[in-house]
Amino acid sequence: MDLDSIECVSSSDGLDEDEIHLHHTLHPYSHSHHHPELSSTKPRNGSNNSAITGPTATAPATSVHELLECPVCTNSMYPPIHQCHNGHTLCSTCKTRVHNRCPTCRQELGDIRCLALEKVAESLELPCKYYSLGCPEIFPYYSKLKHEALCNFRPYNCPYAGSECSAVGDIPFLVAHLRDDHKVDMHSGCTFNHRYVKSNPREVENATWMLTVFNCFGQYFCLHFEAFQLGMAPVYMAFLRFMGDENEARTYSYSLEVGGYGRKLIWEGTPRSIRDSHRKVRDSHDGLIIQRNMALFFSGGDRKELKLRVTGRIWKEQNPDAGVCIPNLCS
């Protein structure tokens, strides 16, 4: 695909389309770039949340924590916990990695379980590992992992599409990361007007136009637009993601509209949280999908150039329906 032939011209909140001219390139999924892993220890849920202090935020005692730490992978150990004849322990995952040899004394491990340490772990109650990010919860040792996998205070992955970025952090950190490292366009306001242009629309591949981020109602939203094959049919798709958790995302709605020459397509929906990956949202078809022939009709002229104008707005729901069914996610 000719990357130099693509541009995205955008405007937002009362500005005429010609007042903002931005040149975007198309990023095929196969062209990925890596960023060093980034992280943030700031509280995730906005600037008003501070780290929890007091007894509920106390880290586990160092001695107990070290006892339950695998010497190979340094992760917490869960049953079965193995030990060698000299009493050195390690987790079941690493037992196979060290070829049945104790990493501490090099003796053969055998199949000895450390039942005493498993019992000690069973009696413990520990804070969530995201306590420094604001989670106040305390769990039995064996329930902690399940909670942490779904904890609302866990860091977010970078929402940038078209790359394999490994950055993680809270929302303020990721907003700065998108702006400074990915050079994403930032807009303020709850309405937008984008024009997507491509010189050879007959070439459709798994690719995405550069992300645009909107600051609306004090929150951040990611607007995606891309081209891919839906079965045998080439399509374009636009959708919005919310930079926050699923429950808060459901308090907002958005609309997207594309049209021309007396015809229009309108999509209304709820933005998906960036907890759901970009690819997961795309593959669930949860957004405005435009068949290529219709996109070329909207573009007018000799249909040799894609010129799609996508407008939209974001609003806050007064009584969001917590039971709304998201495509491909409801059983």
Side-chain angles (χ1 to χ4, degrees):
M1 182 179 289
D2 184 2
L3 302 187
D4 295 332
S5 64
I6 301 160
E7 64 173 338
C8 166
V9 183
S10 65
S11 64
S12 61
D13 278 348
L15 296 180
D16 293 335
E17 184 180 1
D18 293 336
E19 291 183 22
I20 298 178
H21 298 276
L22 304 171
H23 183 73
H24 289 184
T25 57
L26 193 68
H27 297 277
Y29 291 125
S30 57
H31 295 174
S32 62
H33 60 277
H34 295 262
H35 291 265
E37 182 170 351
L38 302 171
S39 62
S40 172
T41 57
K42 295 180 181 179
R44 182 188 58 76
N45 288 355
S47 58
N48 292 329
N49 287 349
S50 58
I52 301 298
T53 59
T56 60
T58 303
T62 301
S63 58
V64 177
H65 179 73
E66 288 177 351
L67 279 175
L68 291 168
E69 185 180 273
C70 174
V72 178
C73 65
T74 70
N75 292 326
S76 296
M77 294 186 291
Y78 294 86
I81 299 175
H82 297 276
Q83 69 174 20
C84 72
H85 291 281
N86 293 323
H88 303 126
T89 57
L90 79 165
C91 71
S92 57
T93 301
C94 291
K95 182 175 183 287
T96 58
R97 294 170 55 190
V98 297
H99 306 292
N100 207 37
R101 290 283 175 182
C102 174
T104 303
C105 65
R106 310 307 300 169
Q107 297 295 312
E108 185 176 352
L109 284 170
D111 292 310
I112 307 173
R113 281 180 62 174
C114 187
L115 298 178
L117 191 55
E118 291 179 10
K119 286 292 185 182
V120 169
E122 189 176 336
S123 67
L124 292 177
E125 288 192 346
L126 301 174
C128 170
K129 73 177 181 180
Y130 302 120
Y131 71 93
S132 64
L133 299 180
C135 182
E137 302 293 340
I138 295 179
F139 294 90
Y141 184 81
Y142 293 141
S143 302
K144 201 165 79 83
L145 273 185
K146 184 176 180 180
H147 161 78
E148 289 170 351
L150 300 173
C151 179
N152 287 334
F153 291 87
R154 71 191 188 278
Y156 292 90
N157 295 322
C158 173
Y160 190 81
S163 72
E164 298 296 333
C165 182
S166 60
V168 296
D170 61 10
I171 299 304
F173 167 79
L174 287 180
V175 169
H177 166 67
L178 288 171
R179 181 191 63 233
D180 300 336
D181 297 318
H182 291 296
K183 310 303 179 185
V184 165
D185 290 312
M186 301 284 176
H187 296 279
S188 294
C190 299
T191 62
F192 45 88
N193 181 359
H194 280 250
R195 184 161 62 96
Y196 297 96
V197 179
K198 185 181 182 302
S199 62
N200 189 357
R202 297 288 173 184
E203 296 179 1
V204 176
E205 59 183 291
N206 286 345
T208 176
W209 271 264
M210 189 176 287
L211 183 68
T212 305
V213 173
F214 296 91
N215 183 352
C216 172
F217 296 110
Q219 305 289 343
Y220 290 92
F221 300 81
C222 301
L223 178 63
H224 298 263
F225 186 83
E226 56 191 79
F228 62 98
Q229 293 285 143
L230 182 57
M232 297 298 293
V235 298
Y236 299 94
M237 182 177 177
F239 57 91
L240 201 70
R241 287 201 292 166
F242 174 72
M243 295 187 70
D245 64 32
E246 299 91 336
N247 291 332
E248 196 167 4
R250 286 196 289 267
T251 65
Y252 297 92
S253 292
Y254 74 102
S255 66
L256 295 173
E257 180 178 315
V258 62
Y261 299 93
R263 306 288 189 275
K264 68 170 63 173
L265 293 175
I266 299 175
W267 163 268
E268 287 192 3
T270 301
R272 296 277 285 274
S273 166
I274 59 172
R275 294 285 189 206
D276 289 335
S277 70
H278 156 268
R279 188 177 293 275
K280 181 177 182 179
V281 179
R282 191 200 75 175
D283 290 348
S284 70
H285 310 151
D286 193 6
L288 175 65
I289 296 179
I290 313 155
Q291 300 288 338
R292 183 177 64 186
N293 288 341
M294 183 63 72
L296 293 177
F297 173 80
F298 291 151
S299 299
D302 56 8
R303 299 193 178 192
K304 292 183 178 180
E305 185 176 45
L306 178 73
K307 293 180 180 179
L308 277 183
R309 178 178 296 155
V310 177
T311 61
R313 71 183 184 96
I314 305 166
W315 65 92
K316 192 171 179 63
E317 293 289 353
Q318 297 301 316
N319 296 300
D321 181 7
V324 66
C325 179
I326 299 175
N328 288 9
L329 294 184
C330 297
S331 57

